[in-house]
Amino acid sequence: MEGLMDLLQSDMGKQIINGVSSQTKASQSQTQSVLSMALPVLMGAMKRNAASPEGAEGLMGALSNKHDGSILDNLGGLFGGGVDQSVMDDGAGILGHVLGGSQQNVTSALSSKSGLDSNTVGDILKIAAPILLGYLGKQQRQQNVQSSAGLGDLLGGLMGGGSGRQPKQQSMIESLLDGDGDGSILDDVAGMVLNSGGNKKKGGLGGLLGGLFGGR
């Protein structure tokens, strides 16, 4: 099973990075940096949300309807002439549902880490969110996932990637998502991205993601 690392390193991933970069006017390297940090955070939050029966049912419903993966079949159309406002609005809705009240904290953290302003980071996330759900929907169909337990396993596998290292790295991501054990997942993530060189989190999320996306 391909994971997020495989996606961003694939031809499709390059097309996504190039398209998002053109849409937001951010450089390709900055766009890739934001996506490399943000996609595992978003998927980790989805995994935590899907741990409840209601959350799993809601996500399965979204994947069975609007976010079935078809968005990935015409990325040229998605980015050609600019991303449609309906896609941006859809992305904003997804972010609000997944990140909740921590959305601004996460955006600010990614802005600080990438060097992009918060508005640009916010636009990158709005475009990335429907693409990420579409990717999840396509994987759900390919793996024939029909249960909430299977959905959790699918999300965990995608977070870890297909390199054979996922059990350890998946565990690291999940523990980092709620580093102080208080259930406030995204607040912890925001702090970790901002303090990736600090000593509290031993390298933090930034260091971990460096290992996931091409580092050692």
Side-chain angles (χ1 to χ4, degrees):
M1 177 170 57
E2 291 187 348
L4 290 177
M5 178 176 65
D6 305 294
L7 171 63
L8 286 181
Q9 292 178 346
S10 69
D11 289 339
M12 180 186 292
K14 291 171 184 157
Q15 187 177 4
I16 292 169
I17 291 166
N18 292 343
V20 174
S21 172
S22 296
Q23 175 72 22
T24 62
K25 311 303 182 191
S27 71
Q28 290 186 19
S29 61
Q30 287 174 313
T31 301
Q32 182 172 6
S33 176
V34 171
L35 292 173
S36 295
M37 291 184 288
L39 293 184
V41 171
L42 293 175
M43 191 160 280
M46 289 180 195
K47 186 174 188 296
R48 188 64 65 94
N49 290 344
S52 71
E54 298 83 1
E57 182 179 351
L59 184 53
M60 287 289 283
L63 299 180
S64 299
N65 294 291
K66 188 173 186 178
H67 302 288
D68 59 358
S70 57
I71 191 173
L72 301 177
D73 297 330
N74 188 21
L75 290 174
L78 173 67
F79 293 118
V83 176
D84 189 87
Q85 185 61 43
S86 64
V87 176
M88 301 292 283
D89 292 342
D90 183 34
I94 294 168
L95 293 173
H97 180 73
V98 171
L99 300 181
S102 296
Q103 183 174 342
Q104 185 57 50
N105 291 343
V106 172
T107 302
S108 297
L110 292 172
S111 171
S112 176
K113 183 69 176 173
S114 67
L116 293 170
D117 64 82
S118 292
N119 287 337
T120 301
V121 170
D123 284 344
I124 291 174
L125 294 180
K126 287 175 188 175
I127 301 169
I131 292 174
L132 180 61
L133 266 189
Y135 178 65
L136 180 59
K138 188 173 284 275
Q139 292 290 330
Q140 182 242 341
R141 276 165 175 66
Q142 290 176 353
Q143 304 293 324
N144 194 29
V145 173
Q146 303 294 334
S147 67
S148 57
L151 185 60
D153 290 341
L154 174 64
L155 285 161
L158 292 174
M159 286 168 65
S163 63
R165 298 175 296 169
Q166 66 261 39
K168 179 180 179 181
Q169 292 180 333
Q170 178 184 332
S171 176
M172 290 172 66
I173 290 175
E174 289 176 350
S175 63
L176 286 170
L177 283 173
D178 187 18
D180 56 12
D182 66 351
S184 183
I185 309 164
L186 277 307
D187 289 333
D188 296 328
V189 169
M192 284 180 285
V193 174
L194 279 171
N195 300 304
S196 61
N199 55 19
K200 181 181 178 185
K201 306 290 185 182
K202 300 188 71 173
L205 189 64
L208 170 62
L209 296 181
L212 282 174
F213 294 94
R216 296 188 179 277

